[in-house]
Amino acid sequence: CVILGVRAACQDATVTQELLKEGFHRDLLVKVELGVAGEDAGGCAVAARTRLPPGIYVDPYELASLQQHNLTKAVLIPDVIDVEAPEYLATDLLVLLYMEPDPRCSHCFKAALPVHGRYHRPAEESEEALVVLKSPEVLVCCCDNRLSAGCWKPAEVEAPCSGKTDGSCQWYSVTHKPVYEELILQVPVGLRQHISLVCVMTFLATVLCSTLILATVCKYGHFS
């Protein structure tokens, strides 16, 4: 588990989240600052549980690669994700993101998660669709079970305290105050009035490429 070298319990935690980079491929940066008063929480892990709406997703293959290099620790629910599905055919995704201590602050934690925007239906006027990310829930898991439930409420989470160990343990939900209640992701979308033009150009490009491939095969191919 991540060790908390502070006393943190009944005071509210402060949560901030930020989207880095531009376009469809972003990094979701989550920061948690715990209160410094209350009972001893040494030997506990900290995680952020966030629900991603259908307009955004995490690539499980990319996440697995990052976890192999100890760059990110997270649990996806469900763990099977259709990365090709458009926004209107996708469902919500629940992510448990394990936090790492921030060396610049003794009671602060942070973690980054690569996220990707899904394709949306063409719009009538706006060239951008808005995807709303709610503030995540802060969770604490204590391996030695020394934490009382007086200030933190038990949370229904089927996940280990550590991203590497097997078996579930008891997580507790921490009261927190988000710096921003929600975060807005702007995803580029096409316009409905361009559908005919896009279809025609796609058809012409397909015919041209198919013709070039067929001509190359006829010229250089060897037929018995």
Side-chain angles (χ1 to χ4, degrees), residues 115-149:
V115 295
H116 307 275
R118 291 188 184 274
Y119 291 107
H120 288 62
R121 293 183 186 275
E124 293 289 349
E125 299 179 356
S126 176
E127 296 185 357
E128 291 181 329
L130 302 182
V131 180
V132 179
L133 296 177
K134 297 295 185 180
S135 178
E137 178 185 8
V138 179
L139 300 176
V140 170
C141 171
C142 294
C143 300
D144 53 14
N145 295 320
R146 290 188 297 115
L147 181 65
S148 71

Side-chain angles (χ1 to χ4, degrees), residues 90-170:
T91 58
D92 290 356
L93 173 65
L94 192 63
V95 180
L96 183 66
L97 180 62
Y98 294 91
M99 315 292 290
E100 295 290 340
D102 188 339
R104 296 171 297 180
C105 175
S106 61
H107 52 279
C108 300
F109 301 82
K110 63 180 181 178
L113 181 71
V115 295
H116 307 275
R118 291 188 184 274
Y119 291 107
H120 288 62
R121 293 183 186 275
E124 293 289 349
E125 299 179 356
S126 176
E127 296 185 357
E128 291 181 329
L130 302 182
V131 180
V132 179
L133 296 177
K134 297 295 185 180
S135 178
E137 178 185 8
V138 179
L139 300 176
V140 170
C141 171
C142 294
C143 300
D144 53 14
N145 295 320
R146 290 188 297 115
L147 181 65
S148 71
C151 300
W152 295 340
K153 298 180 180 180
E156 296 182 1
V157 179
E158 294 291 335
C161 276
S162 171
K164 294 183 179 181
T165 59
D166 297 329
S168 300
C169 61
Q170 180 61 64

